[in-house]
């Protein structure tokens, strides 16, 4: 196959950052996504509809004139998010969900939740107003090995949470394990998961054998190969509970290549080509459209996109680095190539 035309994709999980970085991030994702669910882990975080409204404006100001792109903002759940905050969010056109970061789990999560039990009224308000909960699913217990943090989160927190709020729509973000795939496959209605390109393409050997590759370090961390295989099977299965969420999360080169480097991979420059490689390798290119363009919209109860995008099978090189504010970001596949590129869009 030399080209493939699909319904126009979206990205249901991305980090756009703020300030000068928006120039890069917003315009890269807008080359292939009509909509993107934007993470709220700025510092300070996006906690209210007022915060979301001004962030939405800054994003739109950074977008090149005439380009069609809609950011859907998420609010950052904290120990003090109130029922009123939820009612306001549910009434807003700009906010599409609320993100749970267990405090300390990942980049800019210090303001995250320390005691989910005390947030019952807030979660009940989300359930009642049908506002989705997006979850970074890792325990932060220092006793727990970093490779086991997702599995234990599902056991200790997610399974009981999904029972306690049976109508709450939940997206387990950027899943990385066979355990997460099994949980989502067997879960009640209203539970879905996003999967990143890096977790479909790489495993921990790629990150650690022959030298440490800091630009493959993200959270939840890449796992062993059999987990990657389970994720590839889920993504290409055609099950609508699994859909695109790149988790593109840029950090400057110097904050990754240092003795305590940041977590996050940048993929917004080539996300669809990277996913297309996976689907091609799995002989499932006919299922790419569901994953990138249909299932996420359906889960978020938003209309499917009208236009299309054509992918061309053509080896395309990726630069060593991309300008990013007053620094640079090293993107996935830097200095190498991807096998597809984005062609005509309508
Ligand atoms: C994200 C970031 O840099 O904001 N990092 C990451 O490794 N994925 C935060 C997150 O989604 O965990
Ligand atoms: Zn993320």
């Amino acid at each position: 196959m030399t080209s493939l035309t699909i319904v126009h994709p979206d990205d249901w999980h991305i980090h756009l950052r703020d300030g000068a970085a928006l120039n890069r991030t917003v315009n890269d994702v807008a080359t292939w996504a009509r909509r993107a669910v934007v993470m709220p882990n700025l510092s300070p975080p996006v906690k209210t509809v007022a915060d979301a409204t001004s962030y939405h404006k800054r994003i739109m100001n950074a977008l090149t004139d005439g380009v069609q792109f809609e950011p859907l903002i998420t609010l950052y759940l904290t120990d003090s998010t109130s029922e009123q905050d939820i009612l306001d969010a549910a009434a807003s056109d700009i906010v599409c969900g609320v993100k749970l970061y267990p405090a300390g789990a990942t980049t800019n999560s210090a303001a995250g939740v320390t005691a989910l039990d005390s947030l019952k009224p807030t979660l009940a308000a989300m359930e009642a107003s049908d506002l989705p909960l997006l979850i970074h699913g890792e325990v932060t217990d220092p006793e727990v090995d970093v490779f086991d943090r997702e599995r234990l989160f599902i056991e200790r927190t997610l399974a009981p949470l999904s029972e306690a709020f049976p109508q709450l729509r939940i997206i387990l973000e950027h899943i990385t394990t066979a355990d997460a795939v099994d949980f989502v496959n067997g879960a009640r209605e209203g539970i879905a998961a996003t999967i990143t390109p890096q977790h479909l393409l790489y495993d921990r050997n790629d990150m650690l054998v022959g030298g440490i590759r800091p630009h493959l370090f993200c959270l939840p961390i890449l796992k062993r190969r059999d987990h990657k295989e389970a994720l590839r099977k889920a993504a290409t299965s055609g099950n609508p509970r699994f859909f695109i969420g790149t988790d593109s999360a840029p950090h400057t080169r110097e904050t990754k290549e240092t003795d305590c480097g940041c977590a996050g991979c940048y993929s917004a420059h080539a996300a669809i080509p990277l996913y297309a490689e996976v689907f091609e390798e799995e002989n499932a290119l006919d299922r790419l459209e569901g994953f990138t363009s249909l299932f996420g919209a359906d889960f978020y109860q938003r209309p499917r996109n009208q236009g299309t995008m054509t992918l061309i099978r053509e080896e395309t090189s990726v630069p060593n680095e991309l300008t990013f504010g007053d620094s640079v970001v090293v993107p996935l596949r830097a200095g190498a190539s991807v096998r597809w590129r984005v062609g005509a869009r309508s």
Side-chain angles (χ1 to χ4, degrees), residues 80-327:
S80 53
T81 304
S82 66
E83 291 168 73
Q84 189 58 49
D85 291 329
I86 298 305
L87 295 179
D88 294 346
S92 152
D93 291 337
I94 283 170
V95 176
C96 70
V98 177
K99 179 76 187 282
L100 162 61
Y101 292 100
T106 186
T107 306
N108 289 345
S109 63
V113 173
T114 63
L116 198 56
D117 278 347
S118 17
L119 280 170
K120 279 185 182 149
T122 306
L123 295 167
M126 290 182 64
E127 183 180 41
S129 50
D130 203 19
L131 188 66
L133 177 68
L134 293 73
I135 298 184
H136 182 110
E138 290 193 284
V139 296
T140 54
D141 180 346
E143 296 299 310
V144 174
D145 188 274
V146 69
F147 290 98
D148 296 330
R149 289 180 171 201
E150 181 173 280
R151 179 171 59 79
L152 285 174
F153 181 89
I154 292 167
E155 232 174 84
R156 292 182 186 175
T157 306
L158 181 57
L161 181 75
S162 76
E163 302 271 297
F165 300 93
Q167 304 297 326
L168 180 62
R169 278 187 295 142
I170 297 174
I171 304 103
L172 184 55
E173 298 291 343
H174 41 53
I175 59 170
T176 64
T177 57
D179 310 270
V181 169
D182 291 345
F183 174 80
V184 172
N185 270 324
R188 62 158 171 82
E189 280 276 290
I191 308 264
T194 55
I195 312 182
T196 77
Q198 66 267 23
H199 292 101
L200 294 169
L201 287 162
Y202 303 112
D203 60 42
R204 64 195 199 182
N205 272 14
D206 297 302
M207 180 175 56
L208 294 172
V209 173
I212 293 180
R213 292 181 187 76
H215 300 289
L216 286 183
F217 174 59
C218 67
L219 288 171
I221 197 161
L222 296 175
K223 305 297 192 296
R224 44 189 320 139
R225 177 182 294 186
D226 46 344
H227 291 292
K228 180 185 74 176
E229 296 305 330
L231 296 168
R232 289 172 76 107
K233 228 175 126 200
T236 58
S237 67
N239 182 339
R241 289 171 181 253
F242 299 101
F243 50 82
I244 183 170
T246 63
D247 193 26
S248 180
H251 294 272
T252 60
R253 182 192 274 279
E254 61 276 11
T255 57
K256 300 272 301 169
E257 297 176 8
T258 178
D259 57 2
C260 184
C262 294
C265 300
Y266 190 66
S267 60
H269 63 298
I272 297 292
L274 291 165
Y275 284 115
E277 288 187 2
V278 173
F279 280 71
E280 183 180 26
E281 286 162 8
E282 298 292 324
N283 286 318
L285 276 174
D286 57 327
R287 295 195 172 147
L288 182 67
E289 178 182 62
F291 182 82
T292 58
S293 316
L294 308 178
F295 303 153
D298 294 349
F299 189 83
Y300 275 90
Q301 299 173 357
R302 298 199 172 235
R304 292 178 173 186
N305 290 324
Q306 293 292 322
T308 61
M309 169 184 284
T310 298
L311 294 169
I312 318 275
R313 198 179 186 298
E314 191 174 277
E315 201 79 25
T316 304
S317 52
V318 177
N320 290 325
E321 56 187 31
L322 300 168
T323 55
F324 181 59
D326 54 12
S327 182

